[in-house]
Every structure is written in C-alpha cells, then in structure tokens.
Amino acid sequence: MATGIPTTTRAGDTLNFSVISADYPPSAGWALGVSLKNVGNAYTASGTASGDGYSINIGPAVTAPWVPGRYMLSWWVSRGAGLTLERHTLGVQAIVVLPDATTASPSDGRSFARRALDAIEAVIEQRAGRADLEYRINDRQVKHIPPLELMQLRTKLRAEVKAEDNAATLSAGGSLPSRKVFVRFGR
C-alpha cells in the first residue's frame, strides 16, 4: 500500500511518499524502485528501507530537470540479479509534472477550458450589438458562428471549468458548497 502519492508535482520540488508491503519487506532483501515515464521522458529513483516499508524521497536536484507533462508513475520491488532476479510491480498511477514555478518562463496558467471559455465570452460580448451572421467584401466571405451555438459551447465550457475549479478546491483541502435538495411529501 502506498500513501501520500500526489496526482501532481512540480519540477524542482521534493516528491516523497511511502510504500508498505507485507509480502515484500525490506528485511527479506527486497529493494524498491520508482519510475516516471511518458512518450518522451523516463526518470527512475530508488526507495530506502523504512521499518516494514519503504520511503521515497526524490529531492529538488533530481526533479529540477523533469519535463512538465503527464506521466505514469510506477513502483516495484526487486531482489536478486541476473537469472535469479525477482520483480513485482506494486502500483501504477497517473501523475502530472508541472513546470518549476520558480524558474518557468512567463506563461498562461489557465487550462484549455478556461482559455476557450474566456475567448467565447469575448466573442459573445464583441458581437452583442451585431445582427449579421455573414458578410462579403469583394471576393471574400466571412461567416460567424451563430449565437445559439456560441451559447451552447459556453455552457459546456462553463461546466468543464466548474469541474476543474471544484477539483482544485478539493485537492487543496477545501470543501464544496452543499447541494441540499428539499423534498416535500404530501397528499
């Protein structure tokens, strides 16, 4: 069982968590390995024995060069070498590596949904006083997305942004507003 594994981490930050496995204790000669892999990058580290389990502590010097992106984090135990090597995967989990906040170049930290929602709302605001859906100048014709389609897209993006905001609130230890439903039974 692994505890304290985050779903996101930052390049340049310390990543630490612990793993306990009754079947593969360090006292029986098992060693823990950890890897982060995606299509273009792979990083590995080793755990250290900590009582009946293992402690993983990957420091800033190791995580600083990590390339931001989505990765699969896996951890396993092994013992022996060559033909006597035994290896057992204990877990696999998705993890996102974010840019190092202290050294990253300026960037737009908004998600795709947030950027798209902001753009759609700007278009709606810009066209609020216009009635034309298309127009022609010489040999060029311009057609706009109808307002109803813009509104439908805005509704979908608002729901996606709200879900992102809720997830961020929960991951920061906050709570969501209660959704009480009042029901009245009668004849």
Side-chain angles (χ1 to χ4, degrees):
M1 173 176 71
T3 58
I5 300 177
T7 56
T8 62
T9 189
R10 285 198 177 273
D13 282 2
T14 300
L15 174 63
N16 55 24
F17 60 94
S18 59
V19 175
I20 297 173
S21 176
D23 296 333
Y24 310 105
S27 59
W30 294 98
L32 185 82
V34 178
S35 72
L36 264 78
K37 292 183 180 179
N38 69 8
V39 173
N41 301 289
Y43 309 105
T44 59
S46 299
T48 56
S50 176
D52 292 338
Y54 305 90
S55 176
I56 294 82
N57 189 340
I58 306 170
V62 175
T63 66
W66 287 1
V67 177
R70 295 182 186 277
Y71 290 81
M72 289 307 295
L73 172 69
S74 60
W75 55 98
W76 66 89
V77 291
S78 61
R79 72 176 173 189
L83 296 175
T84 63
L85 176 66
E86 289 182 71
R87 181 173 166 226
H88 301 280
T89 299
L90 300 179
V92 177
Q93 173 185 309
I95 187 169
V96 176
V97 175
L98 302 170
D100 185 334
T102 63
T103 62
S105 59
S107 66
D108 188 347
R110 298 174 298 165
S111 69
F112 168 79
R114 175 75 67 184
R115 290 190 317 270
L117 176 61
D118 291 346
I120 293 292
E121 288 181 336
V123 169
I124 291 170
E125 182 178 354
Q126 182 182 16
R127 287 207 221 144
R130 296 181 63 180
D132 57 339
L133 286 178
E134 61 181 272
Y135 59 89
R136 173 177 239 126
I137 299 174
N138 293 330
D139 291 338
R140 298 227 182 236
Q141 184 175 4
V142 177
K143 291 186 178 186
H144 295 292
I145 298 172
L148 182 60
E149 287 182 35
L150 287 171
M151 299 298 234
Q152 290 170 339
L153 184 55
R154 180 174 72 168
T155 299
K156 288 179 184 177
L157 289 168
R158 278 183 172 171
E160 193 172 328
V161 167
K162 183 171 178 73
E164 289 174 353
D165 291 346
N166 289 346
T169 299
L170 291 174
S171 69
S175 62
L176 301 178
S178 64
R179 297 181 185 181
K180 294 181 182 177
V181 177
F182 296 95
V183 178
R184 183 178 185 179
F185 296 98
R187 294 183 192 213

